[in-house]
Amino acid sequence: MRSVSITRTSVRFVSDKASRFVPKSGVYPQGFSVGGIHCGIKKDGKSLDLALLRNDFGKDASAAAVFTTNKFKAAPVQVSSKLIKEKKGVGINSIIINSGNANAVTGAQGMKDAEDMILVTDSVLENPVNSTLVMSTGVIGNNLPIDNILSGIPKLALNNLGSTHEHWLTCATAICTTDTFPKLVSKQFELNGHTYTLAGLAKGAGMICPNMATLLGFFVTDAPVTPSALGQILKYSVERSFNSISVDGDTSTNDTIIAIANGAAGGPVIDNNSSTAESFAVVQKEITGFAQQLAQLVVRDGEGATKFINIHVKDALSYKDAKIVASSVANSSLFKTAMFGQDANWGRILCAIGYSKVSTADSIVPTKTSVSFVPTDGSEELKLLINGEPEVVDEERASEILKSEDLDIVIDLGTGGGQSANFWTCDLTHEYVTINGDYRS
Amino acid sequence: MRSVSITRTSVRFVSDKASRFVPKSGVYPQGFSVGGIHCGIKKDGKSLDLALLRNDFGKDASAAAVFTTNKFKAAPVQVSSKLIKEKKGVGINSIIINSGNANAVTGAQGMKDAEDMILVTDSVLENPVNSTLVMSTGVIGNNLPIDNILSGIPKLALNNLGSTHEHWLTCATAICTTDTFPKLVSKQFELNGHTYTLAGLAKGAGMICPNMATLLGFFVTDAPVTPSALGQILKYSVERSFNSISVDGDTSTNDTIIAIANGAAGGPVIDNNSSTAESFAVVQKEITGFAQQLAQLVVRDGEGATKFINIHVKDALSYKDAKIVASSVANSSLFKTAMFGQDANWGRILCAIGYSKVSTADSIVPTKTSVSFVPTDGSEELKLLINGEPEVVDEERASEILKSEDLDIVIDLGTGGGQSANFWTCDLTHEYVTINGDYRS
């Protein structure tokens, strides 16, 4: 099975991006098994469409999750958010995910299907009841081919789980829809003399909400983190990663990010109280950086994207305002189209700064605002606007910088507040219009 | 001069839209003269780029204006908003407008240039000082060719003003930048036994902020309305017209709408107090409908637009929430691209409803939400979603409806609140990306 999956992976993801952004190897946390199979949702009869993560460590794991704020919540979002709340983040030992059908706007049958996916997974894995969270992504408005899924779960759980790089890559592939490559990240860090490992995966090829739901992902660690600490860290890190990216600004019915910590690597328990404040800070920093790596892969795979753009806002009055300004620029169709056209159009950046809905009038002062392109090759920055006055831009130099796939735009609000935020986005291209102008056919 | 201008107009605007949306004749309010000339801003050496409106009626007119909320306000916005505030809307007797250069992000020189345009206009028209408002639209970051403008003003004011349809069309043409047709509307209404006339013009080819500033316009009437009443009516009508349209969601450094009422048609003065409440309501209704007509022309001319889409939200808890929902759908890139692709993608509509930032959780209840396409030819509506349940959509019928240039989408929130709002938008097309991907060259 494993080699078959991998062959499919290589066949399916032939893009240049796949070869550059899919890891060839990885380090994975102790005590987790993952896998993916084709169970009969995707119409080609072979693409992977069912993924599973299991906590193999003999103790209850800690879990936390963030869900879409969209009023139209898919059945799996409703079911999973209720379950994790009831269990207060304790005893979530597996995640079952299908792709190809979002189980959204599917009425009572949809709710029952989501619940049945949990029931069967728990049963096959010999979990206590309600130990599993469920996620779905794909077309909305159609009921799941639930028989295929329910009969696929034992096949996946009993014969196709493992902890090798290939298993992780297969799992990451099985949650993809229109993604052009699977998104998988892993890394290690040291704390209290222990080595901890983080691994995570995500899907989301361009906020193509809601026909194929937008953004799903999970990450797991073998560090011993309490549910409360994990919840706080997840919220903080998602705010600075998955909630700091934009492909087209839409948020879907199915968005879900789950974190699980099983403590399999040992060491003192990390909680969010004063006695473990130092360890907490380390874990939060590591997880935030990790989540950013994963979220950035989603931007890299933005539909039709040719550019990866980091908007860095600095010296804002607050983190919140810094993020609002960065988000305003990142979501401007005019700015995104100018980046596609490799046009050093500082006016569109300035305009989007100017209409961002910051909290106070002091947050944006035109005469204190500066904007630069910072080349990612380490060469000198190109100043576009200094304290509200436009520079005479060397168009040749600008055009040279804008040819690069990776662009850094630095917006200095000059308020003296010293707060900063990053936001990652991609360009708006002909290909985006082509893909989304006739997505369903 | 007049015939020369008209020839230019016909040569310049050769689009199919120009022939359909530019009026062949009009009725114009008493006591106003308008005109436009080429003064030397636009580089082709002939396109009209300076426009003027003058109140010829022997009494001070009432004026009101709304300006961009963008933090980066162009010099003319700063100067005009200060002036009209100081004069409390009394004694504004002319408007001078240049196109081709927005006089935005132009420092102290820009402020002086805007002030000089007022000074020279007042002087030539023998107005008291500070009787003129100034607007500019065009490229930002460059200082105005102020000598050309200041020497153009007497030429325009003394030899090129008039009150015929041709003068109005010339004036409307002179404020255009990348517009594919001039936007001019006029109409009459009866009140208290008097016939009053409204005329107005606007520019704004697709929120192409900020290199060419977005949205400029003015409308004038010969009805006798007090400054306070006019201010209230302008705010109400702009909220439901120019602030209820979206081409790409960006708002510019220069957005300005001015209203002037000179009372030349006589009749009892209309104020916003209880004794004239009935007349006030009539004028407000007439001006709002009029402003909507003008604003809709801006959407018709949205960059690259092939569709004109009316989002009608009904049975909301409040007007504000109805507008928030309508605006969320109208600004969704995914929805706009689907309309370009003529794809009956109710999921994207539902998604954008779901993430709209309404004021309370009760404002959007999935199980009460219905969505339909209402054909503009009067044939039967096509229901997509009823009380949150997707209908089986007749794709052939949907595709037939979506072929139409004009699309009406009705979103029934079913809250029992009974409030409604309209929002007008266009589709997102390849042409939009082409135009904005390399606008400056």
Side-chain angles (χ1 to χ4, degrees):
Chain A
M1 176 63 207
R2 188 184 308 169
S3 62
V4 175
S5 304
I6 298 314
T7 308
R8 281 175 190 158
T9 307
S10 359
V11 169
R12 180 165 174 214
F13 300 109
V14 292
S15 74
D16 160 55
K17 283 181 181 172
S19 69
R20 289 186 294 139
F21 299 119
V22 179
K24 308 283 184 292
S25 64
V27 284
Y28 296 97
Q30 299 175 43
F32 290 103
S33 297
V34 296
I37 60 166
H38 170 75
C39 76
I41 304 169
K42 289 182 182 166
K43 288 175 187 165
D44 66 0
K46 60 181 184 183
S47 288
L48 305 181
D49 51 20
L50 191 65
L52 180 62
L53 168 114
R54 181 184 67 195
N55 169 31
D56 300 330
F57 190 57
K59 286 169 56 183
D60 270 348
S62 301
V66 290
F67 299 98
T68 183
T69 56
N70 197 299
K71 298 282 190 310
F72 292 85
K73 292 186 206 312
V77 169
Q78 296 182 54
V79 169
S80 292
S81 60
K82 182 159 170 278
L83 194 154
I84 196 169
K85 199 174 163 192
E86 280 171 5
K87 302 200 69 169
K88 298 189 173 67
V90 180
I92 303 297
N93 286 306
S94 43
I95 307 173
I96 183 80
I97 311 170
N98 76 274
S99 60
N101 184 317
N103 193 12
V105 199
T106 44
Q109 183 63 45
M111 295 293 285
K112 183 172 186 308
D113 290 347
E115 285 160 2
D116 284 352
M117 285 174 71
I118 292 175
L119 197 70
V120 170
T121 304
D122 282 335
S123 158
V124 171
L125 294 180
E126 300 180 12
N127 286 335
V129 291
N130 290 334
S131 301
T132 297
L133 297 179
V134 59
M135 299 197 264
S136 300
T137 175
V139 177
I140 76 171
N142 297 335
N143 280 112
L144 291 173
I146 189 66
D147 292 345
N148 296 355
I149 294 174
L150 296 185
S151 60
I153 291 172
K155 187 178 153 205
L156 171 55
L158 302 176
N159 306 319
N160 291 280
L161 293 188
S163 55
T164 66
H165 176 68
E166 285 68 27
H167 283 99
W168 278 91
L169 199 54
T170 303
C171 186
T173 303
I175 70 167
C176 290
T177 55
T178 59
D179 305 63
T180 70
F181 61 89
K183 292 150 196 82
L184 172 64
V185 176
S186 63
K187 82 168 182 187
Q188 292 191 315
F189 64 98
E190 305 289 321
L191 177 65
N192 302 325
H194 291 259
T195 299
Y196 296 117
T197 307
L198 282 162
L201 42 90
K203 68 83 48 188
M207 307 295 165
I208 46 165
C209 130
N211 259 353
M212 291 298 219
T214 303
L215 188 69
L216 292 189
F218 67 76
F219 54 86
V220 298
T221 181
D222 48 20
V225 188
T226 65
S228 168
L230 191 64
Q232 190 178 332
I233 289 171
L234 180 67
K235 202 177 155 195
Y236 180 93
S237 65
V238 167
E239 176 75 11
R240 284 156 181 80
S241 57
F242 295 103
N243 283 344
S244 289
I245 60 173
S246 160
V247 176
D248 57 26
D250 285 7
T251 53
S252 95
T253 52
N254 288 59
D255 295 359
T256 304
I257 304 286
I258 296 172
I260 294 183
N262 68 359
V269 168
I270 298 146
D271 203 354
N272 49 349
N273 58 35
S274 55
S275 68
T276 60
E278 226 167 287
S279 301
F280 178 88
V282 170
V283 175
Q284 177 163 280
K285 183 163 175 283
E286 292 293 340
I287 287 185
T288 301
F290 176 82
Q292 286 173 342
Q293 265 187 280
L294 202 48
Q296 287 170 16
L297 290 177
V298 174
V299 177
R300 294 262 179 213
D301 204 9
E303 283 181 330
T306 70
K307 301 287 181 196
F308 175 81
I309 307 161
N310 177 15
I311 315 279
H312 178 64
V313 173
K314 64 182 193 182
D315 203 10
L317 281 183
S318 63
Y319 167 72
K320 199 181 154 203
D321 278 351
K323 188 173 168 185
I324 288 169
V325 170
S327 159
S328 181
V329 175
N331 281 297
S332 159
S333 294
L334 281 170
F335 164 72
K336 287 158 67 90
T337 315
M339 291 302 96
F340 169 61
Q342 305 187 6
D343 178 7
N345 196 318
W346 56 266
R348 292 183 183 174
I349 299 171
L350 173 146
C351 181
I353 297 169
Y355 66 69
S356 62
K357 295 189 169 25
V358 288
S359 50
T360 73
D362 297 340
S363 297
I364 298 169
V365 182
T367 54
K368 292 180 179 174
T369 305
S370 302
V371 178
S372 301
F373 287 145
V374 179
T376 45
D377 63 4
S379 61
E380 209 188 340
E381 70 177 325
L382 180 71
K383 292 177 177 171
L384 303 173
L385 199 73
I386 300 179
N387 295 329
E389 297 278 341
E391 292 292 281
V392 177
V393 174
D394 176 347
E395 294 286 345
E396 211 164 298
R397 174 74 180 127
S399 140
E400 198 181 291
I401 293 173
L402 289 171
K403 273 189 194 126
S404 167
E405 179 177 348
D406 286 21
L407 303 173
D408 278 5
I409 290 162
V410 176
I411 298 166
D412 186 342
L413 295 179
T415 64
Q419 298 302 305
S420 64
N422 287 292
F423 210 98
W424 297 275
T425 191
C426 57
D427 53 347
L428 174 59
T429 68
H430 283 293
E431 188 65 12
Y432 175 87
V433 175
T434 300
I435 295 170
N436 286 297
D438 193 14
Y439 175 69
R440 297 190 313 168
S441 61
Chain B
M1 177 61 209
R2 189 185 308 170
S3 62
V4 175
S5 304
I6 299 314
T7 308
R8 280 174 190 158
T9 307
S10 357
V11 169
R12 180 165 175 215
F13 299 109
V14 291
S15 74
D16 161 55
K17 283 182 181 173
S19 69
R20 289 186 294 140
F21 299 118
V22 178
K24 308 282 185 292
S25 64
V27 284
Y28 296 97
Q30 299 174 43
F32 290 102
S33 297
V34 296
I37 60 167
H38 170 74
C39 77
I41 304 168
K42 289 182 182 165
K43 288 175 186 165
D44 65 1
K46 60 181 184 184
S47 288
L48 305 181
D49 51 21
L50 191 65
L52 180 61
L53 168 115
R54 181 183 67 195
N55 169 30
D56 300 330
F57 190 57
K59 286 167 58 183
D60 270 348
S62 301
V66 290
F67 299 97
T68 182
T69 55
N70 197 298
K71 297 281 191 311
F72 291 85
K73 292 185 207 313
V77 168
Q78 296 183 54
V79 169
S80 292
S81 60
K82 183 159 170 277
L83 194 153
I84 196 169
K85 199 175 165 192
E86 280 170 6
K87 302 201 68 169
K88 299 189 172 66
V90 180
I92 303 297
N93 286 305
S94 42
I95 307 173
I96 183 80
I97 311 170
N98 75 274
S99 60
N101 184 317
N103 193 12
V105 199
T106 44
Q109 183 64 44
M111 294 293 285
K112 183 171 185 309
D113 290 347
E115 286 160 1
D116 284 352
M117 285 174 70
I118 292 175
L119 197 70
V120 170
T121 305
D122 282 335
S123 159
V124 170
L125 294 180
E126 300 180 12
N127 285 336
V129 291
N130 290 335
S131 301
T132 298
L133 297 179
V134 58
M135 299 198 264
S136 300
T137 175
V139 177
I140 77 170
N142 297 335
N143 280 112
L144 291 173
I146 189 67
D147 292 344
N148 296 355
I149 294 174
L150 296 185
S151 60
I153 291 172
K155 188 179 153 205
L156 171 56
L158 302 176
N159 306 319
N160 291 281
L161 293 187
S163 55
T164 66
H165 175 67
E166 285 69 27
H167 284 99
W168 278 92
L169 199 54
T170 304
C171 186
T173 303
I175 69 167
C176 290
T177 55
T178 58
D179 305 63
T180 70
F181 61 88
K183 291 149 196 84
L184 172 63
V185 176
S186 64
K187 82 167 181 187
Q188 292 191 315
F189 64 98
E190 306 289 323
L191 177 65
N192 303 324
H194 291 259
T195 299
Y196 296 117
T197 308
L198 282 162
L201 42 89
K203 70 83 49 187
M207 308 294 165
I208 47 165
C209 131
N211 259 354
M212 291 297 219
T214 304
L215 188 67
L216 292 189
F218 67 76
F219 55 86
V220 298
T221 181
D222 48 19
V225 188
T226 65
S228 168
L230 191 63
Q232 190 179 331
I233 289 171
L234 180 67
K235 203 177 154 195
Y236 180 93
S237 65
V238 167
E239 176 74 11
R240 284 156 181 81
S241 57
F242 295 103
N243 284 344
S244 289
I245 61 173
S246 160
V247 176
D248 57 26
D250 285 7
T251 54
S252 95
T253 52
N254 287 58
D255 295 0
T256 304
I257 304 286
I258 296 171
I260 294 183
N262 68 359
V269 168
I270 298 145
D271 203 354
N272 49 349
N273 58 36
S274 55
S275 68
T276 60
E278 226 166 287
S279 301
F280 178 88
V282 170
V283 175
Q284 177 163 281
K285 183 163 175 282
E286 292 292 339
I287 287 184
T288 301
F290 176 83
Q292 286 173 342
Q293 265 187 280
L294 202 48
Q296 287 170 16
L297 290 177
V298 174
V299 177
R300 295 262 178 212
D301 204 9
E303 284 182 329
T306 70
K307 301 287 181 195
F308 175 82
I309 306 161
N310 177 15
I311 314 280
H312 178 65
V313 173
K314 63 182 193 183
D315 203 10
L317 281 183
S318 64
Y319 167 72
K320 199 181 153 203
D321 278 350
K323 188 172 168 185
I324 288 169
V325 170
S327 159
S328 181
V329 175
N331 281 298
S332 159
S333 294
L334 281 170
F335 164 72
K336 287 158 67 91
T337 315
M339 292 301 96
F340 169 61
Q342 305 187 6
D343 178 7
N345 196 317
W346 57 267
R348 292 183 183 174
I349 299 171
L350 173 146
C351 181
I353 297 169
Y355 65 68
S356 62
K357 295 188 170 24
V358 288
S359 50
T360 73
D362 297 339
S363 297
I364 298 169
V365 181
T367 53
K368 292 180 179 175
T369 304
S370 303
V371 178
S372 301
F373 287 144
V374 179
T376 46
D377 63 4
S379 62
E380 208 187 341
E381 70 176 325
L382 180 72
K383 293 178 177 170
L384 303 174
L385 199 73
I386 300 180
N387 295 328
E389 296 279 342
E391 292 293 282
V392 177
V393 174
D394 176 348
E395 294 286 346
E396 211 165 298
R397 174 75 180 127
S399 139
E400 198 182 290
I401 293 173
L402 289 171
K403 273 188 193 126
S404 168
E405 179 177 348
D406 286 21
L407 303 173
D408 279 5
I409 290 162
V410 176
I411 298 165
D412 185 342
L413 295 179
T415 64
Q419 298 300 305
S420 64
N422 287 291
F423 211 98
W424 297 275
T425 192
C426 57
D427 53 347
L428 175 59
T429 68
H430 284 294
E431 188 65 11
Y432 176 87
V433 176
T434 300
I435 295 171
N436 287 297
D438 194 15
Y439 175 69
R440 298 190 312 168
S441 61

